[in-house]
């Protein structure tokens, strides 16, 4: 048991396999469109009258809708029945995607994609909040990330096939079917946060500084990842590697993300969440920093292996830690908003850094610094929780 869990008052968790499966289903389908973004941008460019720039804008409007939904869900969790919120989110996403099967213009498509983002983003946030209501949050989030990554890999190929045979309507109809299927599991998610008894004896109330600190660490991590992921291909080519070497590295090392999910789930049972999280962030910082030196195909591939092995593991540990601090789900539901904001700001800062005239080194140092800063925040949280625990004994 880790220091986070020891500070819990007696709580009745929502740990039924059905509730966990329903939460995972909502979260996976809610983020499915984003996971297949590369294939969707390609399909929009090739099978509609939209340009590549317009295709990118449409994908961005979806993300903005998801960001707003994340904040709305966080505000609404303690006020409304979560099953009703889920039904409303599914209906909104379903209606928007069915409307997109019609032949409409760019601005109408952008509006419907933003509305779809509101619905699917709310589904994702509700799925995360549902899993935070369980006791073994990190284990359940590791299952979620494993399913999410696996489904995302399959989606990219499936959406490409659908677009070739049915255009974008095929993709929108598939998403509509997926949203409809989610209506069948809504009755399984918890209606509310876990019931928590009054604090016992020497226990101390949980300060919200810990969840807010964790959310800021999430932002920092994705700030660095956003800048790095935007330019990772150009970094490899700029380092003198052949384009095919870079492409192969990006393609084949992604399989390690599945191993990272499984490894994270196992480690949380052995070591808790915060220590593996801190180590994982340090490893990512080290991998990013290593690319600032003389780059070879071996060093580039090694760095990619490190990124993909620890990236999803960091997500699992961060969600698990925050879920253990916030079984009500209010802070967990804000994770997509912090991630999305960072993924917008990160590439923008990276683009400005490129104007410094020192190649991609400043971008890599930004990722290094962001991951290192996030690890220091979790060190602070870990030490404070250990101190709070010692005061209780």
């Amino acid at each position: 048991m880790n220091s986070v869990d020891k500070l819990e008052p007696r709580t009745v968790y929502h740990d039924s396999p059905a509730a966990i499966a329903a939460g995972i289903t909502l979260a996976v389908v809610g983020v499915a469109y984003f996971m297949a973004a590369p294939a969707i941008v390609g399909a929009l460019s090739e099978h509609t009258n939209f340009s590549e720039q317009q295709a990118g804008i449409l994908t961005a409007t979806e993300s903005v809708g998801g960001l707003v939904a994340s904040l709305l869900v966080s505000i609404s969790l303690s006020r409304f029945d979560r099953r009703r919120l889920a039904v409303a989110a599914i209906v909104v996403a379903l209606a928007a995607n069915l409307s997109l099967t019609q032949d409409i213009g760019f601005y109408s498509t952008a509006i419907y994609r933003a509305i779809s983002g509101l619905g699917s983003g709310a589904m994702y946030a509700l799925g995360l909040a549902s899993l935070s209501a369980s006791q073994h949050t990190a284990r359940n989030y590791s299952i979620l990330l494993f399913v999410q990554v696996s489904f995302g890999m399959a989606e990219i190929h499936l959406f490409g096939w659908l677009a070739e045979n049915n255009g974008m309507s095929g993709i929108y109809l598939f998403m509509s079917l997926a949203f409809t299927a989610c209506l069948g599991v809504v009755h399984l998610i918890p209606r509310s946060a876990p019931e928590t008894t009054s604090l016992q004896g020497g226990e101390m109330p949980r300060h919200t500084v810990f969840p807010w600190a964790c959310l800021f660490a999430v932002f920092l991590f994705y700030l660095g990842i956003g800048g790095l992921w935007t330019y990772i291909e150009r970094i490899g080519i700029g380092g003198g590697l052949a384009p095919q070497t870079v492409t192969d590295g990006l393609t084949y090392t992604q399989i390690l993300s599945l191993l990272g999910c499984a490894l994270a789930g196992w480690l949380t049972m052995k070591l808790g969440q915060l220590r593996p999280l801190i180590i994982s962030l340090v490893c990512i910082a080290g991998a990013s920093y290593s690319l600032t030196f003389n780059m070879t195909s071996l060093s580039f591939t090694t760095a990619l292996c490190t990124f993909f092995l620890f990236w999803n593991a960091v997500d699992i540990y961060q969600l698990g830690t925050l879920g253990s601090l916030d079984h009500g789900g209010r802070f967990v539901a804000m994770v997509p908003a912090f991630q999305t904001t960072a993924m917008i700001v990160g590439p923008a800062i990276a683009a400005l850094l490129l104007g410094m005239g020192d190649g991609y080194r400043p971008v890599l140092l930004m990722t290094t610094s962001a991951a290192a800063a996030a690890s220091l925040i979790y060190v602070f949280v870990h030490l404070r929780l250990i101190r709070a625990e010692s005061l209780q004994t």
Side-chain angles (χ1 to χ4, degrees), residues 105-383:
F106 171 72
Y107 292 107
S108 297
T109 300
I111 292 171
Y112 281 124
R113 284 266 46 98
I115 294 172
S116 177
L118 278 172
S120 58
M123 290 172 62
Y124 182 49
L126 285 165
L128 294 181
S130 179
L131 294 178
S132 76
S134 61
Q135 184 172 14
H136 302 292
T137 52
R139 180 197 66 188
N140 296 330
Y141 284 128
S142 69
I143 297 172
L144 166 64
L145 266 294
F146 188 92
V147 175
Q148 183 176 298
V149 171
S150 301
F151 192 69
M153 290 180 177
E155 271 187 291
I156 290 178
H157 297 286
L158 174 62
F159 281 16
W161 180 83
L162 287 172
E164 286 290 337
N165 290 275
N166 303 100
M168 285 301 299
S169 292
I171 293 176
Y172 296 140
L173 285 173
F174 174 83
M175 290 302 305
S176 298
L177 288 173
F179 292 135
T180 302
C182 286
L183 289 172
V185 303
V186 167
H187 69 286
L188 300 174
I189 67 172
R191 291 183 179 275
S192 60
E195 296 181 5
T196 304
T197 62
S198 60
L199 293 170
Q200 304 297 310
E203 291 178 346
M204 60 179 291
R206 177 78 33 78
H207 294 293
T208 57
V209 66
F210 296 141
W212 282 115
C214 290
L215 282 173
F216 184 57
V218 169
F219 174 82
L220 285 175
F221 174 64
Y222 268 90
L223 185 78
I225 288 295
L228 177 68
W229 191 241
T230 300
Y231 291 104
I232 187 64
E233 182 185 28
R234 306 314 305 169
I235 288 171
I237 294 174
L241 304 182
Q244 190 61 47
T245 300
V246 175
T247 300
D248 289 345
L250 289 170
T251 301
Y252 297 120
T253 56
Q254 288 193 49
I255 194 66
L256 288 173
S257 60
L258 294 176
L259 176 60
C261 293
L263 183 63
W266 178 77
L267 282 175
T268 55
M269 302 300 292
K270 301 292 184 180
L271 302 174
Q273 295 153 181
L274 282 169
R275 283 177 292 174
L277 172 54
I278 293 166
I279 293 171
S280 297
L281 286 167
V282 170
C283 289
I284 287 179
S288 177
Y289 186 66
S290 71
L291 292 179
T292 63
F293 299 103
N294 186 36
M295 192 182 303
T296 65
S297 58
L298 177 60
S299 64
F300 184 73
T301 302
T302 301
L304 287 181
C305 288
T306 304
F307 288 133
F308 285 119
L309 185 62
F310 290 106
W311 184 347
N312 283 324
V314 167
D315 283 341
I316 291 166
Y317 298 137
Q318 289 190 129
L319 286 168
T321 298
L322 196 52
S324 294
L325 292 167
D326 170 40
H327 286 292
R330 182 167 68 95
F331 290 95
V332 173
M334 284 191 280
V335 167
F338 277 75
Q339 288 177 332
T340 302
T341 303
M343 290 293 281
I344 294 171
V345 176
I349 294 177
L352 292 175
L353 291 174
L354 285 176
M356 295 174 61
D358 193 20
Y360 293 100
R361 180 181 171 84
V363 176
L364 292 166
L365 291 177
M366 180 186 79
T367 301
T368 302
S369 302
S375 70
L376 290 176
I377 290 175
Y378 287 115
V379 168
F380 162 77
V381 172
H382 185 45
L383 293 177

